[in-house]
Amino acid sequence: MKKTSTRLADGRELIYYDLTDDSVRDAVDRRPLEPTVTTSEVRRDPLLGDSVAIASHRQGRTYHPPADECPLCPSQGERLSEIPDSSYDVVVFENRFPSLAGDSGRCEVVCFTSDHNASFASLTEEQARLVLDAWTDRTSELSHLPSVEQVFCFENRGAEIGVTLGHPHGQIYAYPFTTPRTALMLRSLATHKEATGGENLFDAVLERELADERVVLEGEHWVAFVPYAAHWPYEVHLYPKRRVPDLLGLDEEARTEFPKVYLELLRRFDRIFGEGEPPTPYIAAWHQAPFGMLEEFDGVNRDDFALHLELFTIRRTSGKLKFLAGSESGMNVFINDVPPERAAERLREVASS
C-alpha cells in the first residue's frame, strides 16, 4: 500500500491509498473553494447522559446529485470533484459537511473505488484488503488527535438508509467521547467480569455462538453469526476468533482472510430477498475500543474489548422496511419480526455456488 497525503482547495486533508508503489498523486484541486466553515457543537443530555451533535451547516450538503455530477467520482477534464486526480484506488478525505469538527472531533469520507456503479460487494479481494488497510491507518492516525476518544468506521448503503450519494463509500467518525453503545458494552463487560471472577464476556458470547445454529459462515480466523438477541430482521456480527481491541490489533493472517469472508457476507446480503430485488440496504459498523481512559468501567481495560463488525438491513421482507416506531424509538426496546435462527438459515441458503 502506498499512502499520499495532500490538501484540497479549502484546506481539507485528502489521502490516496494505492495498490502499487509507483502511483504518482500530484493533481491539484482547481476548484475556487472558500475555507470550510462548520457550526458543529456537542451537547450533553443531562437526563440520558448521552451526547448530541448539533450541526446546522449540514442542511446545505449535496443531496442526490445526478451520476455525472457525483462529487466522489474522479475529476475529469473540467468536471471537478472532491478527488482532484483522474483515477484512484481508495481515497479518504475530510468531510466538507462534518457532523463533528475541531474540538468536537472529526468526520471523514472513505471512497472504496473510483467506479461509480460498483459496490463494496463487487470489489476484488485485493481492493477490499486496501480498504481494510485504509480503515486501520485512519484509526491509528485519528486516535492521536487530542480531541478524539473513539474511532468509528462504517458504511451506509442504500437510499432507504438515508444515503444521499450513490457512489460506493463509507465514513469515519472520530468522537470526542465514548459512544453510548460502547459504554453499554463496557458496563456489561465489567459486570460480567466481576460476577464470574474474571471471565471475558465477549469470549463467552463467541464461544456460545460458535456452538449454536446461528453461525452463517466461518473461516480459520473469522466467524459470522446472527446474534441470539438480534435487533434487526437480518443482522450479522463478524468477529475475529482471536480477541483484539481494534483494527490495529489484527495480525496478518486475519487481515489476509478478511476480504474473502466479508465479501461473501455482503454478497449473501444482496441475495436474501431473491432475484429481481433491488440491492439490499444495509449498515456495516465497526466496533472498536475507545482510546480514552476507562476508569468509570471498573476493572475493564482496552484489551478486554473485542473488535467486531455489525452488519444489518432495515428491510424485513420483499418491499417492506423495518421502521423504528414507538417501542424502538420511544423506549429503545426492539421488536424483531424475523427469528434469528431463521435469518441465519436464510443466509446459509444463499451461499455462493
Side-chain angles (χ1 to χ4, degrees):
M1 178 187 78
K2 180 181 180 182
K3 175 183 175 183
T4 306
S5 180
T6 185
R7 292 282 171 179
L8 296 173
D10 56 7
R12 288 175 294 132
E13 185 177 19
L14 179 143
I15 307 159
Y16 294 97
Y17 293 91
D18 286 295
L19 291 167
T20 59
D21 290 337
D22 58 355
S23 299
V24 177
R25 300 298 184 183
D26 55 7
V28 176
D29 186 4
R30 295 181 284 126
R31 297 173 298 170
L33 298 180
E34 296 293 329
T36 301
V37 177
T38 64
T39 58
S40 296
E41 176 189 358
V42 173
R43 298 183 181 180
R44 188 161 182 81
D45 185 322
L47 293 180
L48 298 180
D50 59 10
S51 298
V52 178
I54 309 298
S56 60
H57 63 278
R58 286 173 50 80
Q59 288 282 29
R61 66 188 185 274
T62 308
Y63 187 81
H64 292 301
D68 61 355
E69 296 179 15
C70 175
L72 306 185
C73 288
S75 293
Q76 298 287 341
E78 295 306 310
R79 195 194 70 76
L80 306 178
S81 73
E82 289 280 64
I83 296 90
D85 217 322
S86 58
S87 67
Y88 63 85
D89 292 332
V90 172
V91 165
V92 177
F93 61 88
E94 288 184 77
N95 198 323
R96 191 176 179 186
F97 304 97
S99 303
L100 307 165
D103 293 339
S104 297
R106 175 159 158 152
C107 292
E108 299 181 339
V109 177
V110 184
C111 298
F112 304 139
T113 170
S114 61
D115 184 356
H116 182 85
N117 298 312
S119 67
F120 202 119
S122 69
L123 299 181
T124 66
E125 290 185 18
E126 185 181 36
Q127 290 173 310
R129 169 60 190 264
L130 184 60
V131 176
L132 175 63
D133 289 342
W135 283 332
T136 304
D137 181 72
R138 296 315 301 152
T139 296
S140 176
E141 293 292 326
L142 293 170
S143 71
H144 290 99
L145 296 180
S147 63
V148 172
E149 188 165 314
Q150 185 172 356
V151 179
F152 175 45
C153 307
F154 65 100
E155 179 192 2
N156 298 329
R157 205 278 286 268
E160 299 95 327
I161 297 293
V163 175
T164 59
L165 297 175
H167 196 102
H169 72 288
Q171 299 181 66
I172 301 175
Y173 277 21
Y175 297 101
F177 50 80
T178 297
T179 63
R181 184 79 176 274
T182 304
L184 283 174
M185 285 188 267
L186 290 169
R187 291 189 189 101
S188 295
L189 265 176
T191 299
H192 185 84
K193 190 173 185 178
E194 182 179 5
T196 60
E199 182 182 66
N200 183 278
L201 179 57
F202 282 111
D203 292 349
V205 167
L206 190 57
E207 181 180 1
R208 173 184 176 180
E209 295 292 355
L210 279 167
D212 219 313
E213 61 183 309
R214 291 178 300 278
V215 171
V216 174
L217 60 89
E218 183 177 356
E220 183 179 354
H221 303 283
W222 295 86
V223 60
F225 57 87
V226 178
Y228 172 75
H231 289 58
W232 298 94
Y234 290 91
E235 174 183 340
V236 176
H237 293 191
L238 178 62
Y239 276 71
K241 290 184 177 179
R242 182 178 70 87
R243 172 164 46 89
V244 295
D246 51 40
L247 290 166
L248 283 71
L250 293 174
D251 59 24
E252 183 57 31
E253 289 79 9
R255 292 181 184 281
T256 299
E257 187 181 73
F258 170 79
K260 181 178 180 179
V261 174
Y262 187 49
L263 290 172
E264 170 63 16
L265 195 56
L266 291 178
R267 290 162 186 167
R268 292 190 192 191
F269 253 60
D270 273 342
R271 293 193 291 269
I272 293 173
F273 302 104
E275 296 294 330
E277 287 290 321
T280 302
Y282 65 74
I283 293 175
W286 280 109
H287 292 269
Q288 305 191 80
F291 290 93
M293 304 300 289
L294 302 181
E295 285 93 345
E296 63 181 293
F297 309 104
D298 293 339
V300 170
N301 56 56
R302 290 194 80 248
D303 290 335
D304 290 323
F305 196 87
L307 167 76
H308 61 285
L309 181 141
E310 295 186 10
L311 174 68
F312 61 89
T313 179
I314 62 170
R315 187 179 292 164
R316 55 188 175 87
T317 189
S318 180
K320 297 179 181 178
L321 301 180
K322 164 67 177 177
F323 292 101
L324 300 189
S327 185
E328 291 89 353
S329 294
M331 284 291 141
N332 200 28
V333 177
F334 276 68
I335 301 169
N336 189 354
D337 299 329
V338 180
E341 293 72 22
R342 174 54 190 151
E345 181 183 17
R346 178 59 182 159
L347 285 161
R348 290 192 296 268
E349 290 173 350
V350 296
S352 296
S353 58

